[in-house]
Amino acid sequence: MQASITIPYAIADYAILREKGYYYVDKTRYIPLLERYSAPVFLRPRRFGKSLLVSTLAHYYDLNAAGRFGSLFGDTYIGSHPTGEQNRYMVMRFDFSKMAVADDLGRMEKNFNNLLGPVIRECVESPMRYARFFDKFVFNDRQTASNMLAEVINWINNRDLPPLYILIDEYDNFTNQLLTGFKDSLYEQATTGDSFLRTFFKVIKSGIGEGSIRTCFCTGVLPVTMDDLTSGYNIAEILTLKPEFVDMLGFTHEEAAAYLRYVLQKYDRQNSRFEEIWTLLLNNYDGYRFLPDAAPLFNSTILTYFFKNFAELQGEIPQELVDENLRTDIGWLRRLTVTQENAKEMLNALLIDNELMYSQADLRSKFSKRKFFEKRFYPVSLYYLGMTTLKSSYKMTLPNLTMRSIYMDYYNELYQLHDDANRYAPVYEQFTEDGRLEPLAMNYFKEYLGMLPVQVFDKINENFVRCSFFELMSRYLSQCYTFALEMNLPSGRADLVMTGIPGTAFHNDCRVVEVKYFKSKDATAVEALAAPRPADVEQANGYARDLHVLFPRYRLRSYVMYVAANKACRIWECTQQ
């Protein structure tokens, strides 16, 4: 009988996670650091575990949870190093991701009040929350969230009650929806003047100033809305780029490796080797750097998505490695770039050059909606969205294969390279029977590169060929192989590595492809080659030898592939016997 699944994908309630025995990566060491601030804002891309952090803080500070402190935090860092502020506050938690957008400001305000009003009423009226502190309290205004909160703050202040600890999860979720929906005018109305949103944050600012609110902790994705709210909430401190908080969300290599060992020990019937799965995880989910000199981080939610599917399959690699929720991020790409020419320029930089230049001054500066959509600001905008990551102090790049796949989807959409299975599926079906890679390369050359406009070949390079060939193969072979691009090995970086998935007929079949790209003018020379160049053969076989040392059970096959624009393609197997 299969063990119950204790991988907490889509579980953002800290108490449920702890009390039901789900796996937990302890991040409570950051709580003492957060107590230095009264209005902290922490930003991370979607799917990085922000809601679980909010839930953790809610349970730590809630005075009603004092009796559960031992069971919830006893074996964590903060359980052994409490700050003295644990279980001292009335916690009021808002989730702005539940806010429904509308087409005019009046209905937006109504939705806002309908979302927040019940939360405020429950806190002061429910016997399960804090009704004992609000005997004889009556709201004068039960319709407007800002007025309701102001009345609660005034009651607390006049009676010297325990302060509020306010948590706002996804503070910019609904304003971001306005931006991606091209509702710029409505966004500006909601964040300027005496709007309901700005008024709400003014009330919070006042409560912090007089001490009736200990802290208002906000999570979100972008600093744009917070900057546009500045005059109403100029006390906010964005912690995102502070070195001491860089690892607060996301998993370090040490944390992810411990997580993987737990999963393998509990769920892996195939006795898969740690190194094999670890390599897959590095390629697909690692690579996020939020400071230039920071160690890379895994996207915690997407990694957990993989582990949950792996556990449910009792140690088999899931066929779908990308959480489909991430593909909605293409909407941001469309919104940012506005025109197809801007989009193509940005995609060329990332998929062809594999980098975007950026300014650290821009990264660290405050910026409003207007600046966010400036063309020169694209790299910083994409960084906050989690669609690029820092490669160095001057360059950004794509963090992993998951993001490369999403960008290639968008590239194919812009160039109308529709996924016509009739053009690709037959040759991939044949591959699953005979294992010959050469027809896949020729199919890619004819049916993919052959469909691109001629002018594209003035720009594309070896990196683009790697990315696009990988993306095409992964569409049709994701149930058979995992992939790696520019895989770090002792003798260099292997262009393309595909490895058979454990538990399938392809397990331990490993192919290494060394790609060489040439311009159109060199097509005749490529066509004239009777064999691959010796140096290229040695390079491919060197990578194969490195992989054999790492994974002795792999059956290694190496190839050299030459592509000359849309004019010529040659591929040879050069496996060392």
Side-chain angles (χ1 to χ4, degrees):
M1 183 175 177
Q2 184 181 6
S4 60
I5 304 299
T6 55
I7 308 301
Y9 179 71
I11 296 176
D13 187 306
Y14 179 78
I16 291 175
L17 187 148
R18 299 291 288 147
E19 292 178 339
K20 293 193 175 182
Y22 287 98
Y23 189 85
Y24 176 61
V25 177
D26 187 5
K27 295 287 188 177
T28 62
R29 64 187 181 278
Y30 293 98
I31 291 177
L33 300 178
L34 289 172
E35 288 188 358
R36 302 173 185 172
Y37 304 92
S38 58
V41 179
F42 191 73
L43 307 173
R44 273 290 182 270
R46 294 190 322 118
R47 321 296 286 169
F48 256 86
K50 296 185 292 291
S51 296
L52 179 58
L53 174 63
V54 166
S55 180
T56 304
L57 296 175
H59 286 89
Y60 181 76
Y61 289 110
D62 188 354
L63 57 83
N64 286 341
R68 303 166 68 192
F69 185 82
S71 63
L72 293 176
F73 294 99
D75 59 350
T76 65
Y77 172 88
I78 204 66
S80 302
H81 306 83
T83 62
E85 294 191 41
Q86 67 274 16
N87 307 125
R88 282 186 52 186
Y89 305 113
M90 292 186 283
V91 172
M92 195 173 285
R93 179 179 174 182
F94 303 104
D95 183 357
F96 280 19
S97 71
K98 297 178 179 178
M99 167 76 176
V101 297
D103 293 327
D104 62 72
L105 190 66
R107 281 187 289 174
M108 284 282 290
E109 182 172 1
K110 182 178 179 181
N111 292 345
F112 184 81
N113 291 327
N114 288 342
L115 176 66
L116 272 60
V119 176
I120 298 170
R121 286 196 296 274
E122 182 193 20
C123 282
V124 303
E125 295 175 355
S126 171
M128 303 297 292
R129 299 300 304 284
Y130 311 112
R132 61 192 181 278
F133 297 115
F134 291 89
D135 185 40
K136 296 185 174 58
F137 173 83
V138 177
F139 284 111
N140 293 315
D141 179 350
R142 296 179 64 88
Q143 305 301 318
T144 308
S146 297
N147 291 343
M148 293 172 68
L149 181 60
E151 291 179 33
V152 171
I153 288 171
N154 186 57
W155 182 273
I156 291 171
N157 191 47
N158 289 337
R159 287 158 180 79
D160 196 27
L161 297 176
L164 290 175
Y165 193 106
I166 293 180
L167 294 155
I168 302 178
D169 197 11
E170 302 287 358
Y171 91 95
D172 60 339
N173 184 283
F174 76 93
T175 50
N176 289 344
Q177 289 184 58
L178 295 177
L179 294 178
T180 53
F182 293 87
K183 298 179 179 180
D184 294 38
S185 176
L186 189 52
Y187 169 90
E188 290 164 6
Q189 293 177 58
T191 56
T192 59
D194 294 323
S195 71
F196 65 89
L197 186 60
R198 183 173 281 208
T199 300
F200 183 75
F201 276 98
K202 282 182 179 179
V203 171
I204 292 175
K205 175 184 173 182
S206 175
I208 291 173
E210 65 190 23
S212 48
I213 297 176
R214 163 58 175 92
T215 294
C216 177
F217 177 69
C218 296
T219 72
V221 173
L222 303 173
V224 175
T225 299
M226 192 57 68
D227 186 71
D228 287 329
L229 289 170
T230 292
S231 65
Y233 198 60
N234 56 6
I235 60 172
E237 294 183 82
I238 296 179
L239 309 182
T240 307
L241 298 177
K242 292 183 179 292
E244 60 267 36
F245 291 104
V246 71
D247 298 340
M248 187 164 69
L249 291 182
F251 293 155
T252 65
H253 277 204
E254 182 181 5
E255 291 167 339
Y259 202 166
L260 173 58
R261 291 188 181 97
Y262 168 84
V263 171
L264 291 176
Q265 182 180 15
K266 189 163 185 177
Y267 300 107
D268 184 19
R269 295 193 313 174
Q270 306 293 333
N271 194 27
S272 298
R273 296 182 60 196
F274 173 89
E275 292 81 3
E276 293 180 52
I277 308 299
W278 181 248
T279 300
L280 182 154
L281 300 180
L282 287 174
N283 292 326
N284 287 279
Y285 309 122
D286 185 35
Y288 294 92
R289 288 183 174 88
F290 294 101
L291 289 176
D293 56 349
L297 293 171
F298 285 87
N299 180 313
S300 51
T301 304
I302 306 304
L303 184 65
T304 300
Y305 166 85
F306 172 86
F307 284 150
K308 182 174 185 289
N309 283 281
F310 183 85
E312 289 176 343
L313 294 169
Q314 300 181 49
E316 295 182 12
I317 304 297
Q319 291 188 16
E320 180 56 67
L321 297 178
V322 179
D323 185 336
E324 285 301 308
N325 287 302
L326 283 179
R327 297 198 183 276
T328 60
D329 289 341
I330 286 180
W332 269 115
L333 295 179
R334 295 192 186 99
R335 178 62 179 97
L336 273 176
T337 52
V338 182
T339 69
Q340 283 201 3
E341 287 308 308
N342 285 346
K344 289 176 180 178
E345 183 178 334
M346 185 256 310
L347 289 168
N348 285 343
L350 287 167
L351 295 174
I352 297 175
D353 301 327
N354 198 28
E355 58 190 29
L356 280 174
M357 305 300 293
Y358 78 99
S359 161
Q360 282 205 47
D362 284 342
L363 188 65
R364 296 180 180 279
S365 67
K366 292 183 177 181
F367 54 91
S368 63
K369 176 188 74 72
R370 180 191 58 77
K371 191 173 183 181
F372 182 75
F373 289 107
E374 289 179 3
K375 187 176 178 181
R376 73 172 185 86
F377 217 69
Y378 286 172
V380 174
S381 302
L382 293 171
Y383 159 87
Y384 276 100
L385 292 167
M387 304 194 74
T388 60
T389 194
L390 304 187
K391 184 177 183 179
S392 69
S393 297
Y394 304 96
K395 297 176 181 178
M396 292 187 184
T397 189
L398 299 177
N400 47 49
L401 293 188
T402 296
M403 277 300 138
R404 285 180 188 250
S405 175
I406 289 171
Y407 274 83
M408 281 305 312
D409 280 350
Y410 189 37
Y411 186 94
N412 294 338
E413 176 186 310
L414 286 178
Y415 283 97
Q416 298 183 331
L417 298 173
H418 305 296
D419 184 11
D420 183 354
N422 291 322
R423 290 171 26 217
Y424 303 117
V427 72
Y428 282 90
E429 182 181 36
Q430 185 62 38
F431 172 84
T432 62
E433 297 174 5
D434 62 28
R436 295 187 64 243
L437 188 67
E438 293 87 347
L440 300 189
M442 299 311 297
N443 174 265
Y444 160 76
F445 172 70
K446 178 183 177 182
E447 299 293 346
Y448 184 85
L449 288 182
M451 299 297 109
L452 287 170
V454 174
Q455 61 269 26
V456 165
F457 294 95
D458 294 332
K459 299 176 182 177
I460 70 172
N461 59 10
E462 194 173 289
N463 183 64
F464 178 84
V465 172
R466 282 193 297 262
C467 284
S468 53
F469 190 30
F470 142 72
E471 193 276 331
L472 179 58
M473 285 199 294
S474 68
R475 275 190 245 166
Y476 291 94
L477 294 177
S478 61
Q479 76 280 13
C480 308
Y481 290 86
T482 60
F483 298 87
L485 296 182
E486 296 187 280
M487 184 175 179
N488 280 313
L489 294 167
S491 59
R493 297 166 71 88
D495 282 339
L496 174 61
V497 178
M498 51 190 292
T499 307
I501 292 175
T504 71
F506 306 91
H507 188 205
N508 293 333
D509 177 41
C510 183
R511 318 286 182 105
V512 183
V513 183
E514 179 61 23
V515 177
K516 301 296 181 184
Y517 184 77
F518 301 86
K519 295 296 185 181
S520 295
K521 61 183 178 62
D522 298 312
T524 302
V526 169
E527 288 281 15
L529 287 171
R533 299 177 303 194
D536 301 333
V537 171
E538 176 54 31
Q539 190 175 6
N541 285 333
Y543 297 145
R545 288 191 294 271
D546 291 341
L547 284 165
H548 181 69
V549 172
L550 289 173
F551 309 112
R553 294 182 295 168
Y554 282 6
R555 300 186 302 272
L556 271 302
R557 300 174 69 174
S558 51
Y559 301 80
V560 175
M561 177 178 173
Y562 299 114
V563 175
N566 61 344
K567 303 295 185 182
C569 179
R570 303 293 299 277
I571 182 170
W572 283 274
E573 181 173 358
C574 52
T575 304
Q576 205 167 34
Q577 300 301 321

